[in-house]
Amino acid sequence: MDPATGDPLCTVSECGPDQVEQAVRAARRAFDHGPWPRTPAVRRAGVLFALAERLEAWADHLARVETLNQGKPLRESRADLEEVVACLRYYAGMAPRRLARTAPRPGAPLASVLREPVGVCALITAWNYPLLLAVWKLAPALAAGNTCVLKPSELTPLTSLLLAEALQDLDLPPGVVNVVIGDGPGAGRALAASPRVDKVSFTGGAAAGRQVALAALGNLKRVALELGGKSPVVVFSDQDLETAVDLALYAVYCNAGQVCSAGSRFIVQADLHDAFVRRLAERARRIVVGPGLDPATEMGPLVGARQRSRVLDAVRAGVREGARLETGGAPLGGGRLARGFYLEPTLFSNCRPAMRVVQEEIFGPVAVVQKFTTEEEALDLANGTPYGLAGAVFSRDLARGVRVARALRAGVAWVNGYHTTGPELPWGGCKQSGWGRELGTFGLDACTEIKQLNLTLEPAPIRWFKP
Ligand code: NAD
């Protein structure tokens, strides 16, 4: 469906349990008996380089399809495509070096530490960055020699299907990459529970993440969870107002707030607070909301009706609990926006720590502001939710910026910036934002098992027991 109009884009067949099982068996066969895990890492890297080239050549088309299916402005889809290509090249270049390591010990036996692929990996992704999340998981898994079953979100399957098409005539043995289409309770749960799957890597909400972890217990498969957040941005009053507000807009309203790491909680020092709220509301009202394919659009629609009603429900809870609605809070309709799932950029001030809008991930264009006086108070507020994915500090005093960023309980922290990352940097959260890290060397390591291999060069009886 096109979230800008609510019109269907095409029909995609859903995989039933038999097809999910078929895909898992194909990946199992490819892992146990196929050449892929035993292919030299540099040759596997060649496939990833070739895929990167193909996707780069196809980037305009893929970006348009992503925008059509997901709703985000074209400039954001194009930026995603750059990251997709960079991620493939990064793992193609890095894996061959990292996978081959030996640790010789003095004397015999000669010991090596081998990194071997984990096996069959089920890769389950969310709808907010469909192609990017798929590649974040696929690139390291393939580079390490695993075989995969990818299940994109049922809401945004199109670019994952195009990815499968791009892989089709590359030098990839059958069964190494399989894509299944289906929803969470169906295909997702079957993958997480399958005894033939060795690892499940999941990106999505905390509720589904818990179910995945439970389902994975059956065969104690490896579990990686990239879950949600309620990321704080601590704004000190020494930061220039325009800079702080400009960065804040980017932190929270990018992809209409449908970003796991969105900086959606502004914790602002008392002497800057009122001016910050006023200016942020003014700028939020000026954001151009429209269809993602329109080059003038700065913020697109939400992904669908259900997501918009969830966000509106959170907005109503905020009003009920006494937060002050500074701007937004209503669907945008009329004219060309009449049929899409648009929502005004929304800002609440006067927020208390216990409020739902402060504690729960909203996953829409909704920001909340809290006020602080001392650094200690700012940190208590910042760390006062169950999440720990990301966070930021805006201050001209870099020593303070780094000190506070280090005290944030989060997997990713920025000082005077937001959203910048890359395939070489680890991604993931602490507390209830997930288990483990993706990307960087950490992401590759997470796709491997470590084996200690001992080789005795000149075997002879050791006479531990009397002959
Ligand atoms: P979701 O949890 O509803 O679904 C995510 C994926 O899991 C989908 O493919 C879905 O079909 C599948 N799924 C749902 N229930 C399942 C189950 N019981 N077993 C197996 N699979 C199941 O999340 P969503 O609405 O697609 O995405 C939004 C959430 O994803 C937000 O919480 C967001 O913060 C999070 N997210 C996190 C990151 C990150 O890197 N940490 C990145 C993007 C999105």
Side-chain angles (χ1 to χ4, degrees), residues 124-128 133 151-154 183-184 188-189 202-205 208 211-212 226-229 260 361 363 389 427:
I124 301 176
T125 56
W127 47 259
N128 59 339
L133 294 177
K151 193 204 85 59
S153 165
E154 59 277 24
D183 63 10
R189 185 185 286 272
F202 171 88
T203 295
Q211 291 180 4
V212 165
E226 294 289 342
L227 308 178
C260 52
E361 181 183 47
F363 223 55
L389 184 54
W427 187 261

Side-chain angles (χ1 to χ4, degrees), residues 153-166:
S153 165
E154 59 277 24
L155 299 180
T156 54
L158 297 186
T159 45
S160 294
L161 290 172
L162 292 175
L163 176 68
E165 198 178 318

